Amino acid sequence: MAKLLRPFINGRHLPAAPSPSPSTSAASSNIFTLINPTNAIPYKYYHPTSSDSLQHALLAAKESQKEWGITAPSHRAGILRRAADIMSKNIPLLTELETLDTGRPIRETEYDIVEGVECLRYYSGLVSATSSGGSYQFGGGSWGYTLREPLGVTLGIGAWNYPIQSALWKSSPALAFGNSMIFKPSEFTPSTALWLAQCYHEAGVPAGVFQVVLGGKEIGQELVESPVVSKVSFTGSLSSGQKVYETASRDMKKVTMELGGKSPMIIFDDANVDNAVSGAMMANWYSSGQVCSNATRVFVHESVMDEFVEKLVERTQKLRIDDPLKESTDVGPMAHKEQMDKVLKYIDIGMKEGATLLYGGKRVTDLPDDLKNGYFLEPAIFTNCNDDMTIVKDEIFGMVMSVLSFSSEEDVLQRANNSELGLAAGVFTKDVQRAHRIIQKLEAGSTWINNYNLVPMQLPWGGYKKSSIGRENGIACMESWTQWKSVYVEMGDVDCPYPK
């Protein structure tokens, strides 16, 4: 029996509405069904949040923020710490919820939940230490001061590949700095965001300060258009982000956006090849390749190309593709059928355009009966690629690695930067001077030297070019969730040149 999910608005889950039973179709005009990617069986469903309920949420967010915004930062920090404690006691439950929605192996989702706890604790500490402004002395005893104030009602729109991370990266700083937030998770993966709303409520977040609404793009569109919303934080595709940005700009709303990438990894001739292979696998196979920062363009120096490819194929062949709820599983299914079909289409395009499919690229069917209908794919390794191929240029969002050869530093830099996206990049070399020189010349916002896809909370997250607007995480994110007020205090008479 499929479970009904309900929006969390103004401190409670909305009452269930009568509806027909869900079917195997993903969506209709009045119902959306979640399909378990492991077996293609419907297991949850919901009604998109009605326009009346959205207006109720907006009103609740506006009214509750007035008090929340003037609550002492130390008190808000304490509530976030309590939320972190609640979350830390529910790691097994959240891990399973996240895995069932996304298909990601339970080892991966457990890591996300643990990091989510740290996210809450990080922002509880950050707001306690940085919420105040400064004071300044001027002539004649007059002085001034600055206030860091919240923006008001904010909107978070999350991605389907990392649901709980997306919800926490947006809501933790938003709430810490006194904003309220309406969060719309991806229509495919809403479960952990709904749990988070209940967690915040239990921790002491007032009703209306954090709410979760359900539905697709039309729900997000209505909220972005609302004059009540002062800031939008969006994670998703470039095309969707551009539409959201255009709508938000009409009212001059503040925005932060993370819109994906087609990131390069450069492996030089002096690199530790075993580490480079590990990095390339983490940058392509993790989360079934459904990671915005993945380095799917792997540039390998011609002198180590054969060794790199041999070791890459050997280790990729050992990956255990299985039920993501098993601790031993390395690769789970794609998150939904549409994404699996998209990846298979790109693999076919790659072969037709002349790239060599060296390994994988097929749907996995050699599985137990209860998994045979799941959306499982083999990782695909392409060699003999060139920079003009579709698989090298487009963000595919799946396990499709393009291995490209290079001979000189100047050549590979030009090719690595030849993209309209610039989210991330990585360099593998033992030459420290070259590593820093290359990193400084790469047109990307989140970069690694001799590793890949590690994202500590202290470092700002975001990209260059069309990949991002603004930053999430780190101290830099404060500017995305607050605004400055300057106050001048006159201690004498007004010096006025006009006649009395």
Side-chain angles (χ1 to χ4, degrees), residues 69-322:
I70 59 175
T71 299
S74 60
H75 183 69
R76 296 197 300 262
I79 290 176
L80 289 186
R81 285 194 294 271
R82 286 197 291 275
D85 292 340
I86 294 169
M87 193 170 178
S88 68
K89 295 175 183 177
N90 286 276
I91 290 175
L93 168 64
L94 282 167
T95 298
E96 183 172 338
L97 284 176
E98 193 85 336
T99 290
L100 288 173
D101 269 12
T102 65
R104 295 173 55 216
I106 203 162
R107 288 184 303 175
E108 292 185 16
T109 55
E110 182 178 14
Y111 177 83
D112 285 0
I113 307 306
V114 172
E115 287 295 296
V117 173
E118 292 307 308
C119 176
L120 287 163
R121 290 175 176 159
Y122 175 77
Y123 284 110
S124 70
L126 187 64
V127 70
S128 298
T130 61
S131 59
S132 60
S135 62
Y136 309 88
Q137 287 296 127
F138 305 122
S142 295
W143 60 292
Y145 61 94
T146 57
L147 297 172
R148 185 184 287 278
E149 296 187 336
L151 299 171
V153 177
T154 65
L155 170 63
I157 301 177
W160 52 259
N161 56 334
Y162 281 75
I164 191 67
Q165 181 191 83
S166 190
L168 284 165
W169 280 17
K170 299 179 190 307
S171 66
S172 297
L175 271 57
F177 289 103
N179 303 284
S180 62
M181 171 170 279
I182 298 174
F183 186 76
K184 191 201 84 65
S186 164
E187 58 267 39
F188 294 103
T189 53
S191 300
T192 48
L194 289 168
W195 184 94
L196 180 62
Q198 189 67 51
C199 172
Y200 278 141
H201 184 67
E202 184 179 338
V205 172
V209 170
F210 182 78
Q211 304 173 90
V212 176
V213 298
L214 302 175
K217 294 179 181 179
E218 69 286 347
I219 303 298
Q221 180 74 13
E222 183 170 346
L223 290 170
V224 174
E225 290 175 348
S226 171
V228 174
V229 171
S230 59
K231 186 263 171 69
V232 180
S233 177
F234 174 86
T235 301
S237 69
L238 173 59
S239 59
S240 295
Q242 288 171 324
K243 294 174 184 175
V244 171
Y245 189 26
E246 180 183 359
T247 302
S249 69
R250 295 173 194 158
D251 291 328
M252 303 300 289
K253 290 179 169 64
K254 199 166 187 174
V255 299
T256 50
M257 295 199 164
E258 198 266 87
L259 307 176
K262 187 65 179 178
S263 302
M265 176 182 290
I266 303 174
I267 300 168
F268 284 98
D269 53 351
D270 66 337
N272 180 312
V273 175
D274 290 326
N275 279 339
V277 170
S278 294
M281 293 177 72
M282 290 295 292
N284 282 270
W285 310 154
Y286 199 77
S287 301
S288 297
Q290 299 163 130
V291 185
C292 53
S293 57
N294 269 0
T296 53
R297 295 184 294 147
V298 181
F299 294 93
V300 183
H301 193 274
E302 58 188 12
S303 66
V304 294
M305 173 65 84
D306 290 344
E307 180 186 2
F308 173 84
V309 169
E310 180 181 348
K311 290 183 175 181
L312 174 65
V313 172
E314 180 183 358
R315 290 179 58 181
T316 300
Q317 288 173 332
K318 297 177 182 178
L319 292 175
R320 293 161 294 190
I321 303 175
D322 203 347

